[in-house]
Amino acid sequence: MLFSTRSLALFKGRGKLCFPYLCAFKNHQSMPKYSEYKGLNLPNVASEVLKEWEENETFQKSVETRPADKPFVFFEGPPSANGMPGIHHVMGRAIKDIFCRYKTIKGYRVDRKAGWDTHGLPVELGVEKELGITKEDIGKKISVEEYNDACRKAVMKYTDVWNDLTQKMGYWVDMEDPYITYENKYMESVWWLLKNLFDKGLIYKGYTIQPYSPAAGTGLSSHELNMPGTYRDVKDTSATALFKLKERGQQLLADIASKSDLVYHMVAWTTTPWTLPSNTALAVNPRFEYQIIHSFNRYTHEPIGVVVAKELVSKVFSGPYAAVSSENSIASYDGSGKNIPFEVIGSLKGSELTDLEYEQLLPYALPMESPESAFRIIPGDFVTVEDGTGVVHIAPTFGADDAEVAKKAGIPPMLIADAQGNPVPLVDLQGKFVQELGPELGGKYVKNEYYTEAPDKSVDVLIGIKLKEQGKAFKIEKYEHSYPHCWRTDKPVLYYPLDSWFIRSTAAKDRMIELNKTINWKPASTGIGRFGNWLENLNDWNLSRSRFWGIPIPIWRTEDGAEAICIGSAAQLKAECEKAVEAGMMDQNPLADFKPGNMSKENYETFDLHQNHVDQITLVSSSGQPMKREKDLIDVWFDSGSMPYAQWHYPFENADKIDAGNTFPADFIAEGVDQTRGWFFTLHAIATMCFDSVAYKTVVSNGLVLDKNGQKMSKRLGNAVDPFKTLGEYGPDATRWYMITNAQPWDNLRFDLKGLQEVQRKFFGTLYNTYAFFSLYANVDGFKYEEEEIPLNERSETDRWILSRLNSLITEVEMAYEEYEPTKAGRLVQNFVTDELSNWYVRLCRRRFWKGDYGKDKLAAYQTLYTCLEKVAIISAPIAPFYMDRIFKDLNRVTGRLVEESVHLTSFPEPVPSAIDADLEQRMDIAKRMTSLVQALRKSEKLKVRQPLQRIMVPIIDDTFDRQLHDVEHIILSEVNVKEIEYLHDASDVLVKEIKPDFKKLGPKFGKDMKALAAEINAFDADKISQLERDGEIKILLNGQEVEVTTDDVNISAKDIPGWLVAADGNITVALDITLSTALIEEGIAREFVNRIQNLRKDSGLDVTDKIKLQIERTSEIEQAIENNLDYICAETLAGSLDLVSELKGEAAKEVEVDGTITTKIALEKL
RNA sequence: AGUCCUGUAGCUCAGUUGGUUAGAGCGCUACACUGAUAAUGUAGAGGUCCGCAGUUCAAAUCUGCGCAGGACUACCA
């Protein structure tokens, strides 16, 4: 009864404390509240926020509310919409989006026009597969018109999927008004650019050996050949063939070797035996020494005389061959395949070999042009002794070097006359041998990869067999080497003679190199290394593609090529057509309905610049000759490199955007590193050649997205990650956050769903919990940030600390974004949220939120936590746009602190430098470390944190530490549940001190003597240490010399207090008094009770503000403990009354274990 | 073959201008905490900092030579 009376009194007394809770709760029922959630579902949040963006047109507002005269220019690299997007697109687009969003909240206007790359091979090949046709059928089975229509439709096949991905991942780009490369306006701008180059004399036509893809039916530019993955290691049959010298050679060698009964051969190696029928010369290096060898053919075992570069003799004659030096051993050869002897019988200079003639190796055909000059040995400086034989087989039709060296030496290429009498090589455009090679080889593909069903023996193998049979083979073997493959068809490329248009990009090489130096490459090594090297070795840009679906080359020429015109606009084309009609070249003008100067969509739909239309046009030259369009299309890379201008229909419309620099050059672009020689190059080349400008100021080239084992993702391997599935399961925020924080954009990312889960749980889970914690209590107290901002100096140490950290964070994150280091930014935020905000600030301040009245301290806590959440939401919004917007809105809806309706419309926070307090951060660090130490000590003694202890003792190193510790004393005490800290000031008697040399300070002073000195210092005893401390310096005898060490040169710390339980971390040492008094034990029990009661409250589903009535079954162990801590227990558990009763019965009575030995019953009832 | 990047705990990665005792997260083990609770804390195990040589009083860090992986370059026969 005694207790109940007291508890009643307590209830009255606590009325002040308790009622405001209830009132606050009721009063604010109808007021706006912070949303509370049952759990965190990131995918749902994303789709809800996405809906809000759509309804509120948030993206448009984020652009339009920023001043037009403060642009941040971004170019969107156009994806091709005829393929499905992959997870790597999420990566690439996240990077683009992050910086565009960041610049937006920095107050820039960031227009983001989407684009589609619609032309080119991938589209055509897709269509051909779909229609079941090949390139050869176009114009026969299907008209070019129908074909192009099919392409036009196919190209936008997956636009819906792409748009869907774009939205779901939160990539903000204007999809309403994209640029599309097949539209007339776009093509017209491209023509204008080409004419610009043409007028500058930078476009020419040339007949050269080029990389050619028979499977794709088109030549490839050098940058296409330099796409990643084009060079692959393949095993081919290589042949080392014997070329029999003609009479003059036989004579010469027989004389040098003094051996006339031998047949002499040149030996040359090739990895492409299919080019041997086209051989028209052999090259030797005139400076090398060659040796004449007497040996035997390994296949026929016939004696042979061969010529090989001296340095390669041992390589060529390896395996079954063995060197001998006497006529006898040669003669003793038994004719088997083993131990074939060879002997050097003479040597001569390469220059002596030149001009000797040899017999054609595989005489299927003769060059139609001066065949008498063929089959000679010619000089070639490029011939090395790296591999092969030092004699190089030359097939001018299938090698660029070969063609060049042959031309110089007057050797004809192996071109024969076709049915029309035109010169053609022995391999046709499909990659098949022509019929002249007979039934054995004619009509066969030169590479087995070109077959859908390959025959057993490739032509290389067939040729190898033939050579063996005819005794012309020195060695036939498999050889592994890297060989270029077509980036679209995956089939090997041939070097093939083609007639093409080129851009003389080499003429602008120096300027391109110069301008490149002004570009901010992320990472820099790509710019100076990969891209820089590429520019140094620049080739002319092969513009021609013999395809159908693309932008036609706008050049019309007379048949003899003497007169040519390059068309730069629709208007010009119309005018030229007019002339042609007048001259009777055409019946009517195909652009008759086009009105020059009218930029309407309708007007631009009255004609079509695609091949099937413009090829109908015959123009008239100034001398009255008909002019036909050159048959080629342009490289699609030119399409995409033209986008800065063509997306605005420059210069026909929006001329200011380029000329006044409003949207050119770009401040920022980002694509995969594989675009280095693709889009990054074509943008740069066109900008340099046409505008003498860079196309972009900053470029981020991101790495590949690999699977979790570091393998490249591919559909073939089945390790590709479905972006929709990932976004659906984890949400775009976690996906983006994971990708950005896990690896630097330019490093390859190993994509592992486990990592994604971790981000979801660790970062977003923690942030969500922090918000949930805030909203729970802020709703109870009706905190709406209506009160005056509590000045910083009136806030608690903890508040000022987290605000100091917050402001440091804002500064650092801003810097990271400015430097295009999103990984750094994300990691900074993540550390702040998990380690500092949640695990320290919230942990320390929990009680402030749910205890006590709604006074100044509580208000300060709310304001502080609110500020942190709000700022974190803003600075993280570029990376996690959905969830951060949700947090922002949930906060701002209640407080209305900012007028903006979305986080993406706000401004990046200005850091408050005065809020950053280094000393405070140091103090808090002391508190953290001290807390850890005490907890470690408790653990070692198995003393629960709930058990209060009387005191800890801390040696005081200096005045600063003294002051700093005082300031954070209360934090440490409450964290470790200890009553007091005892400061051990002058404790040299008690403390055992430790001294450590400061190497950084001593190093420069003592150099070599460091080691000895450090040993001396380490060996200091207590006397010496205190002497040093007292005098501030001490003299040490070192190698017979006296040196002086000051307190500055060492770190002295207290390491031990004999007789106490001690722990130390760096220069902080703490001792714990583990004596337990009755009062402490009772308090510990009371705490256990509070814990059990709180658990019961929660289990009973009580609200945090519900008041309760308590009954506890009395036992002798707990009676005193409860009695002496009654106020405490009631206050903690919101108990209006607490009765100790002799026996508790009924369902309400719950049995609880208080500690290992004490058990009792508790009944709890809502009041 | 050349250029560039990467190599640190079982995994993913930090590691400042060189400073001696190399860190974090995840995972693992044990314990604790618990009105943030699908959270949290503490402790433990786990390292040839790829190897070798050099510069230096001092190297994960700088230099050179290798090795492994990746990307890129190359007409390479």
Side-chain angles (χ1 to χ4, degrees), chain A residues 513-521 684 694 696-698:
Chain A
I513 291 168
E514 205 177 313
L515 285 170
N516 182 43
K517 288 179 183 153
T518 69
I519 296 172
N520 177 27
W521 280 84
H684 189 63
V694 294
Y696 42 87
K697 295 176 186 165
T698 292

Side-chain angles (χ1 to χ4, degrees), chain A residues 243 245-246 248-250 252-254 256 264-267 282-292 306-310 346-358 375-380 389-392:
Chain A
F243 294 79
L245 286 162
K246 286 196 175 167
R248 200 155 61 85
Q250 296 294 347
L252 175 71
L253 295 183
I256 292 172
Y264 294 99
H265 299 81
M266 299 300 290
V267 198
L282 292 172
V284 295
N285 194 319
R287 296 191 311 270
F288 289 172
E289 187 176 345
Y290 289 81
Q291 290 189 323
I292 307 165
V306 299
V307 177
V308 176
K310 185 186 173 189
S347 88
L348 72 170
K349 276 286 240 192
S351 51
E352 293 179 69
L353 286 163
T354 56
D355 254 5
L356 294 181
E357 289 176 310
Y358 61 88
F375 317 120
R376 274 188 297 125
I377 298 172
I378 57 173
T389 62
V391 180
V392 176

Side-chain angles (χ1 to χ4, degrees), chain A residues 732-749:
Chain A
D733 293 310
T735 308
R736 291 168 60 137
W737 197 274
Y738 165 72
M739 291 179 133
I740 293 305
T741 56
N742 199 53
Q744 302 258 58
W746 35 90
D747 286 337
N748 290 346
L749 171 71

Side-chain angles (χ1 to χ4, degrees), chain A residues 70 95 142 226 471 507 576 678 726 809 823 887 926 938 945 1075:
Chain A
K70 197 183 170 189
I95 290 164
I142 178 173
N226 292 329
E576 290 298 329
T726 306
L809 175 77
T823 308
I887 289 191
I926 291 173
R938 274 181 170 277
V945 179
T1075 320

Side-chain angles (χ1 to χ4, degrees), chain A residues 207-211 395-404 495-498:
Chain A
Y207 187 79
T208 55
I209 309 296
Q210 291 160 30
T397 44
F398 302 114
D401 243 10
D402 301 32
E404 200 183 312
Y495 288 87
Y496 198 88
L498 291 172

Side-chain angles (χ1 to χ4, degrees), chain A residues 227-294:
Chain A
M227 305 288 288
T230 47
Y231 280 85
R232 282 181 221 156
D233 282 340
V234 289
K235 264 197 174 168
D236 276 330
T237 300
S238 75
T240 309
L242 293 165
F243 294 79
K244 186 179 167 192
L245 286 162
K246 286 196 175 167
E247 189 51 37
R248 200 155 61 85
Q250 296 294 347
Q251 196 61 54
L252 175 71
L253 295 183
D255 290 349
I256 292 172
S258 317
K259 191 162 173 57
S260 55
D261 58 346
L262 215 51
V263 184
Y264 294 99
H265 299 81
M266 299 300 290
V267 198
W269 177 57
T270 177
T271 52
T272 51
W274 62 268
T275 61
L276 286 172
S278 301
N279 171 281
T280 52
L282 292 172
V284 295
N285 194 319
R287 296 191 311 270
F288 289 172
E289 187 176 345
Y290 289 81
Q291 290 189 323
I292 307 165
I293 313 284
H294 177 194

Side-chain angles (χ1 to χ4, degrees), chain A residues 821-1055:
Chain A
E821 301 269 359
T823 308
K824 210 175 185 181
R827 285 176 179 173
L828 283 167
V829 172
Q830 191 164 301
N831 289 341
F832 175 81
V833 167
T834 57
D835 295 351
E836 298 180 321
L837 185 59
S838 171
N839 289 350
W840 192 245
Y841 180 77
V842 172
R843 189 172 120 207
L844 289 189
C845 296
R846 274 188 308 209
R847 289 175 69 84
R848 296 170 66 197
F849 289 88
W850 57 270
K851 261 311 256 187
D853 57 3
Y854 188 45
K856 194 164 156 189
D857 178 63
K858 199 172 203 182
L859 191 57
Y862 279 130
Q863 289 184 346
T864 304
L865 183 52
Y866 183 100
T867 304
C868 290
L869 287 170
E870 183 193 79
K871 306 290 185 206
V872 163
I874 300 175
I875 64 176
S876 315
I879 307 178
F882 296 97
Y883 188 63
M884 296 303 163
D885 202 22
R886 167 55 58 84
I887 289 191
F888 173 83
K889 284 172 176 163
D890 282 343
L891 293 174
N892 205 47
R893 189 183 303 118
V894 178
T895 64
R897 288 185 89 210
L898 296 170
V899 292
E900 291 87 359
E901 63 188 29
S902 162
V903 73
H904 303 291
L905 303 176
T906 59
S907 299
F908 196 88
E910 287 288 333
V912 185
S914 61
I916 300 175
D917 182 342
D919 188 75
L920 173 57
E921 296 191 10
Q922 244 176 46
R923 293 199 290 274
M924 198 55 88
D925 186 56
I926 291 173
K928 278 183 170 179
R929 282 159 67 193
M930 199 77 83
T931 304
S932 279
L933 288 173
V934 176
Q935 276 167 342
L937 287 174
R938 274 181 170 277
K939 182 169 152 56
S940 69
E941 292 300 303
K942 294 200 169 26
L943 286 164
K944 292 177 173 180
V945 179
R946 277 200 220 101
Q947 175 59 59
L949 292 170
Q950 191 52 42
R951 60 172 180 159
I952 53 181
M953 283 157 292
V954 182
I956 301 307
I957 314 160
D958 54 38
D959 292 348
T960 314
F961 182 70
D962 190 12
R963 176 180 55 76
Q964 289 180 324
L965 184 58
H966 265 104
D967 286 343
V968 292
E969 182 184 295
H970 61 285
I971 296 172
I972 300 169
L973 290 178
S974 82
E975 268 305 289
V976 300
N977 196 13
V978 169
K979 302 288 182 198
E980 57 183 327
I981 294 185
E982 192 177 316
Y983 292 68
L984 301 179
H985 273 285
D986 185 17
S988 45
D989 298 344
V990 191
L991 295 171
V992 175
K993 290 194 175 171
E994 191 188 55
I995 187 163
K996 269 188 181 173
D998 184 338
F999 291 95
K1000 213 165 184 172
K1001 295 249 173 61
L1002 290 170
K1005 275 196 205 170
F1006 298 102
K1008 267 200 227 5
D1009 302 326
M1010 269 284 287
K1011 248 178 203 156
L1013 185 62
E1016 284 286 329
I1017 293 174
N1018 280 327
F1020 271 20
D1021 57 16
D1023 285 349
K1024 280 211 171 142
I1025 294 174
S1026 52
Q1027 190 191 333
L1028 171 59
E1029 277 190 304
R1030 200 178 52 237
D1031 303 342
E1033 59 179 53
I1034 196 167
K1035 293 193 170 35
I1036 302 174
L1037 206 58
L1038 190 70
N1039 302 331
Q1041 275 209 320
E1042 201 170 64
V1043 296
E1044 195 173 273
V1045 173
T1046 68
T1047 37
D1048 250 11
D1049 298 331
V1050 295
N1051 292 314
I1052 298 173
S1053 58
K1055 264 292 169 267

